Amino acid sequence: MKKIVWGLIGLSFALMVGCSSQGGQAGGQAGQAEGKKYPEKEITLVVPYAPGGASDSTARIIAKNMEEKLKVPIVTVNKTGGTGGVGMSFVQSSPNDGYTFGYVPVEMTMHKALGLSELEPSKFDLLGQATMIPAAITVPADAPYNTIEEFVEYAKQNQGKIKVGNSGVGSIWHIASTAFANKANVQFTDIPFDGAAPAVTALMGNHVDAVAVSLGEVKSGVESKKLKVLAVMSAERDKNFPDIPTLKEKGFDVEVVGWGGFVLPKGTSAEFKKVLADALKEAVESEDFKKFASERGMSAVYKSPDDFTTFATQQFKFFSDFIPTLDLK
Amino acid sequence: MEALGQLIGGFETAFTWWNLLYCLIGVTVGMLVGVLPGLGPTTGTALLIPMTFGMEPVSAIIMLSGIYYGSMYGGTITSVLINTPGEAASVITCLDGHPLAKQGRAGVALGVAGIGSFIGGTISIIGLAFIGPALAELALKFGPPEFFALMIFGLIMVIGLMGRSLIRGLIAAFLGLILSLIGMDPVSGAVRFTFGEAHLMNGLDLVTVAMGLFGLSEILYGMENLQKLDKPAKVKGLLPRKEEWRPTLNAIGRGTGLGFFVGLIPGSNSVIPAILSYTLEKRIAKDPSRFGKGAIEGVAGPETANNSYCGAALIPLFTLGIPSSPTIAIILGAFIMHGLTPGPTLFQNNPDFVWAIIASMFIGNLILLIMNLPMAGMWAKIAAVPPKLLYPLILIISIIGAYTVSNSLWDVGVMFVFGIAGYIMKKLDIPMAPIVLTFVLSKLMENSLLQSIKMLDGNVLHLFARPISGTLLVLSLIVLFFSVLAEVKKKKAGFAGDVEM
């Protein structure tokens, strides 16, 4: 009996080793598929974050809409870990046969500057952007300042005393508050939380003085009149909050937005890329995705492979220049 | 009394055919999610959200919340039967649940857990319905300093769980502490102890670690003695013995209170009330040495607490729009997707909706109790399967479960490493409970300590100046003092080399 059980354990180890060697067979398969109909089988979509978050639900809804156009199932798998690095690296090293693609958040362009991984836009074929969500300076509703100017004035008189909750060191919303502080010439005390939601909770309980997280995350707090948004950090005013000014119109030249898009392993054939990009465009511009995005405080923004590549390259350059100037480590 | 009328209205909605069906589907899926190690309530709800897109909002939320509280029932089953926690909150249940199963009392352990879960769940829903909004405001007072103080209190209580030898217990606690340090430092973002492995950047997963330490090591250890093993004990009854009823019900009562209290605190998770309840039961028990060997209160208390936690944790969501745990964040997402805004306006703008959900939770808990009591007997028979058939089966379930944690073989490997470590520790008589307990607590504690230090401008003494954190810290000091005192007394009394705890 002992032998059988040990045999089983041995077998499972062998299976593990066998499976893990499959990841390496990347590249070179695109050519073989030419002349065949694409897609002819299910496609895998890799999401680098845990199920249920904003990234995951965005990716899943897009996948559902793309399925209808492509007429094949899209299977969403979550590969978490390494602040998105595990999932994104998985896509990077997947075969470029058009049957694996991945969701990427703005962090893809920040990883290298943060020293988290060697990932950067040039390591992928970019497929298109789907969402955009601006950072917003939010304070408790009963705070003694009602405009962004008053807030900056108050912060100048209380240098280092304003406590700003962020969603983790080096996260996009941490970069947002630091970028704002730099432009406004003020100093904040950053308090990191494990994600934006606990930071917003701490703001509601008056344990911190402000947050610079996305509009979506403070939406319910604002609607329940516990919080107020002083400014958004996008180029234009947000459709969901048309009364709230942008930092740019108030003379602070800083723009930090979160975004989500899709990528393919490098070297995927142009033909496959076009099929997927067309399906993605249709999915992002569909009414139900627009509705979903707006309810979550995001905007549905489609960018074509070329535009997205240009945009992501710019973002990569911005973060690569900006992050080293921050005292993050 | 107005609330009562509205609740009755809610029952009318919840009792429609479709909603009853969705409630049943939700709690059944929840049970399954709880039973399968690795597949937790967070993943379970997330995977089902896309299915709810076409549904009525009420039905959708009824189903999703069913998964959420249903999983707390299911997690118990694997903990008791095969010493492998189905989800994080059931990690504690392994400690006494499995020893009970080994004595042929798996039915009792599952039965008591079912009853406790029902009582805890139901009372916390009553709390949600009638005093929720008032409590939610109170919950906001719990900032990082208060949370840190609570974790200190929890850790001090863990000292009571050290097992037979204080030294070995401390070694175990220390191991848990070291394991919790793996991953990214929450404040500076510095990467620690990952040896360049991207999978370790977010730290180790509690369920994977516990599956290895408890479940796999059990198989390895058991295989050694496969020839010598006695015939599996016959499964007897679902209900505790006469003299056990009173302590069990008391433990259920205390578990309800603890779970409810912790549920209100944003940033907590369902493991914390289970830990607190277990340590509390052990501390106040007349004969603490029974714990870890099959004390019925050690199952009843924590199992009640995690279900009571579930109902209470919805209070900040319903009244303030605050998701206090990852699973609730997903339910929040579902609310938003269905066009509802949780928060103070929810009760005003959508009273029919809220009360229907609350009513469905009463029904769901009842369904679960009905499902669980007879099924407990059925499940319990698994414990009577000969190990040579059971072990390979557990191994397969565990491998699949570990794989589902993040769809990667990495976690399977981690489970095997901890399985072997657990086996060695069993040989050395090092208790495994302190490892997982300090692992959970210190992770949260480090986070809230670093946040507190920054909030309080570096002056840790300010922790004592805040009413809630001050009280908790003083309480911790008192408990610590009496623990040490009791220890010294025992040492004087007995001349044994090992300190009995």
Side-chain angles (χ1 to χ4, degrees):
Chain A
M1 213 57 234
K2 255 188 200 171
K3 277 182 192 157
I4 294 179
V5 181
W6 280 112
L8 269 173
I9 293 180
L11 187 70
S12 46
F13 268 118
L15 277 173
M16 279 166 64
V17 175
C19 292
S20 44
S21 62
Q22 280 177 4
Q25 307 162 352
Q29 297 183 4
Q32 302 164 5
E34 265 170 52
K36 275 189 185 170
K37 184 178 143 296
Y38 171 83
E40 55 174 5
K41 58 171 187 180
E42 61 170 50
I43 298 173
T44 303
L45 169 60
V46 180
V47 177
Y49 289 114
S55 298
D56 181 68
S57 40
T58 303
R60 280 176 195 271
I61 292 182
I62 293 279
K64 194 175 139 249
N65 286 341
M66 285 174 77
E67 270 180 353
E68 284 162 25
K69 163 104 178 159
L70 296 172
K71 308 268 185 284
V72 292
I74 296 180
V75 180
T76 309
V77 290
N78 301 83
K79 298 246 177 223
T80 58
T83 325
V86 171
M88 288 190 277
S89 304
F90 183 85
V91 175
Q92 193 208 338
S93 60
S94 291
N96 52 6
D97 57 3
Y99 288 99
T100 305
F101 73 123
Y103 172 88
V104 289
V106 57
E107 278 82 0
M108 192 255 285
T109 57
M110 300 162 59
H111 257 238
K112 200 166 181 177
L114 290 168
L116 291 174
S117 75
E118 289 298 305
L119 293 168
E120 56 171 284
S122 67
K123 299 215 167 152
F124 298 96
D125 276 357
L126 275 64
L127 188 60
Q129 188 182 337
T131 58
M132 194 203 80
I133 186 164
I137 312 292
T138 309
V139 296
D142 55 4
Y145 22 80
N146 286 310
T147 62
I148 191 75
E149 292 97 332
E150 286 171 25
F151 179 59
V152 169
E153 195 48 44
Y154 183 88
K156 279 194 174 146
Q157 281 159 14
N158 297 280
Q159 287 288 12
K161 288 204 180 128
I162 301 240
K163 298 176 179 80
V164 180
N166 65 49
S167 54
V169 173
S171 68
I172 178 75
W173 309 135
H174 180 198
I175 306 293
S177 69
T178 315
F180 167 57
N182 280 6
K183 286 285 176 195
N185 253 327
V186 295
Q187 232 188 338
F188 293 142
T189 299
D190 294 309
I191 302 183
F193 288 85
D194 193 13
V200 174
T201 308
L203 182 67
M204 285 194 183
N206 281 314
H207 303 289
V208 294
D209 303 305
V211 296
V213 303
S214 76
L215 271 174
E217 260 120 4
V218 293
K219 202 168 164 244
S220 69
V222 172
E223 279 165 5
S224 63
K225 302 208 166 45
K226 278 196 138 357
L227 304 175
K228 59 187 174 194
V229 181
L230 300 180
V232 292
M233 299 177 79
S234 48
E236 287 156 29
R237 290 191 179 207
D238 192 86
K239 285 193 295 281
N240 299 312
F241 293 86
D243 300 336
I244 294 163
T246 65
L247 277 183
K248 279 198 170 168
E249 46 182 283
K250 293 290 177 180
F252 305 101
D253 185 22
V254 44
E255 183 186 334
V256 177
V257 294
W259 47 260
F262 293 85
V263 297
L264 288 159
K266 193 93 185 152
T268 308
S269 89
E271 186 193 337
F272 297 170
K273 195 161 145 185
K274 189 173 180 318
V275 174
L276 288 173
D278 289 347
L280 177 64
K281 182 170 195 289
E282 209 166 286
V284 174
E285 288 174 351
S286 69
E287 277 315 308
D288 66 327
F289 184 70
K290 279 187 186 155
K291 185 165 164 279
F292 159 81
S294 132
E295 275 163 4
R296 283 230 148 182
M298 299 186 277
S299 303
V301 174
Y302 176 76
K303 280 199 180 77
S304 70
D306 288 341
D307 291 347
F308 186 38
T309 309
T310 314
F311 173 70
T313 314
Q314 280 167 3
Q315 287 269 296
F316 177 62
K317 193 173 171 335
F318 168 74
F319 289 120
S320 301
D321 293 342
F322 183 62
I323 290 173
T325 67
L326 307 176
D327 185 24
L328 288 178
K329 282 183 208 164
Chain B
M1 273 306 104
E2 194 198 336
L4 199 62
Q6 282 172 316
L7 181 61
I8 292 167
F11 270 108
E12 274 173 39
T13 316
F15 264 121
T16 54
W17 255 106
W18 281 112
N19 288 338
L20 277 177
L21 182 68
Y22 284 125
C23 184
L24 181 68
I25 296 176
V27 296
T28 314
V29 172
M31 281 277 291
L32 282 176
V33 158
V35 169
L36 289 175
L39 193 64
T42 316
T43 321
T45 32
L47 294 181
L48 278 188
I49 280 197
M51 278 181 59
T52 68
F53 287 157
M55 286 161 59
E56 286 285 308
V58 175
S59 313
I61 307 291
I62 285 181
M63 190 169 98
L64 291 171
S65 44
I67 299 172
Y68 168 60
Y69 57 80
S71 62
M72 296 292 156
Y73 280 77
T76 322
I77 295 171
T78 38
S79 290
V80 169
L81 295 179
I82 58 177
N83 212 21
T84 302
E87 40 80 50
S90 308
V91 169
I92 312 301
T93 310
C94 291
L95 305 180
D96 274 291
H98 191 60
L100 275 168
K102 278 186 167 168
Q103 297 158 19
R105 305 192 71 204
V108 183
L110 293 173
V112 161
I115 296 167
S117 295
F118 175 73
I119 296 175
T122 307
I123 292 179
S124 73
I125 303 164
I126 295 175
L128 166 65
F130 296 102
I131 46 170
L135 289 170
E137 286 293 325
L138 206 70
L140 281 181
K141 296 209 161 48
F142 251 81
E146 286 74 23
F147 198 65
F148 170 71
L150 181 72
M151 291 304 100
I152 286 281
F153 187 67
L155 208 60
I156 298 280
M157 297 282 275
V158 168
I159 294 177
L161 289 179
M162 292 306 185
R164 241 169 12 89
S165 145
L166 183 61
I167 296 292
R168 291 190 173 111
L170 284 175
I171 291 173
F174 201 68
L175 277 173
L177 193 68
I178 293 172
L179 291 175
S180 78
L181 291 177
I182 295 175
M184 222 188 285
D185 163 348
V187 164
S188 73
V191 175
R192 309 176 297 202
F193 306 121
T194 63
F195 307 102
E197 177 57 62
H199 284 105
L200 282 175
M201 211 119 80
N202 292 353
L204 291 165
D205 179 79
L206 168 69
V207 175
T208 318
V209 171
M211 277 165 68
L213 280 182
F214 293 123
L216 200 60
S217 72
E218 179 77 26
I219 302 179
L220 294 173
Y221 196 73
M223 276 187 326
E224 269 190 356
N225 308 314
L226 212 51
Q227 313 298 335
K228 291 177 251 166
L229 272 184
D230 301 329
K231 275 214 163 142
K234 244 195 138 77
V235 179
K236 294 168 286 192
L238 294 178
L239 301 175
R241 294 182 199 113
K242 223 177 182 179
E243 70 277 11
E244 284 171 339
W245 269 108
R246 225 187 134 78
T248 303
L249 286 176
N250 285 341
I252 287 175
R254 286 184 287 264
T256 305
L258 261 176
F260 192 83
F261 168 68
V262 179
L264 292 173
I265 299 168
S268 57
N269 61 48
S270 52
V271 192
I272 295 172
I275 293 177
L276 289 178
S277 163
Y278 188 82
T279 46
L280 179 72
E281 290 311 320
K282 188 172 177 185
R283 277 199 171 265
I284 61 177
K286 277 201 189 101
D287 175 17
S289 70
R290 292 185 298 117
F291 280 76
K293 295 173 197 156
I296 200 120
E297 305 99 293
V299 176
E303 279 299 322
T304 308
N306 70 39
N307 278 71
S308 173
Y309 171 91
C310 278
L314 289 172
I315 292 176
L317 177 72
F318 277 27
T319 56
L320 298 168
I322 292 175
S324 52
S325 76
T327 317
I328 296 185
I330 293 171
I331 296 180
L332 170 69
F335 269 88
I336 295 169
M337 265 180 230
H338 286 282
L340 299 149
T341 310
T345 50
L346 185 69
F347 271 90
Q348 290 155 23
N349 298 347
N350 310 83
D352 304 342
F353 173 84
V354 182
W355 289 103
I357 305 290
I358 293 175
S360 85
M361 289 169 70
F362 281 109
I363 300 170
N365 267 286
L366 193 65
I367 297 178
L368 283 165
L369 181 72
I370 297 170
M371 265 165 59
N372 270 272
L373 274 189
M375 268 167 75
M378 201 186 83
W379 288 114
K381 293 208 174 76
I382 293 180
V385 172
K388 55 184 173 183
L389 294 177
L390 194 58
Y391 286 165
L393 201 69
I394 299 173
L395 200 62
I396 293 166
I397 294 174
S398 302
I399 291 171
I400 296 171
Y403 184 78
T404 30
V405 169
S406 61
N407 287 316
S408 89
L409 284 164
W410 167 263
D411 291 287
V412 181
V414 170
M415 184 189 69
F416 273 102
V417 168
F418 280 97
I420 293 162
Y423 169 76
I424 296 169
M425 287 170 57
K426 270 192 180 170
K427 289 269 171 190
L428 298 176
D429 204 15
I430 294 173
M432 270 170 288
I435 301 183
V436 290
L437 300 180
T438 46
F439 178 72
V440 179
L441 293 179
S442 51
K443 229 178 186 177
L444 295 164
M445 199 167 77
E446 183 194 8
N447 225 332
S448 51
L449 173 64
L450 294 172
Q451 286 165 353
S452 306
I453 289 176
K454 285 203 137 191
M455 269 181 66
L456 305 173
D457 303 317
N459 193 339
V460 187
L461 285 177
H462 283 173
L463 282 170
F464 287 92
R466 296 167 68 105
I468 302 175
S469 61
T471 313
L472 279 168
L473 287 175
V474 170
L475 264 175
S476 308
L477 286 176
I478 294 172
V479 173
L480 185 65
F481 175 75
F482 281 105
S483 303
V484 173
L485 202 69
E487 205 51 46
V488 172
K489 266 189 187 163
K490 262 190 231 163
K491 193 133 203 177
K492 273 185 186 161
F495 289 91
D498 267 355
V499 183
E500 292 276 343
M501 290 218 39

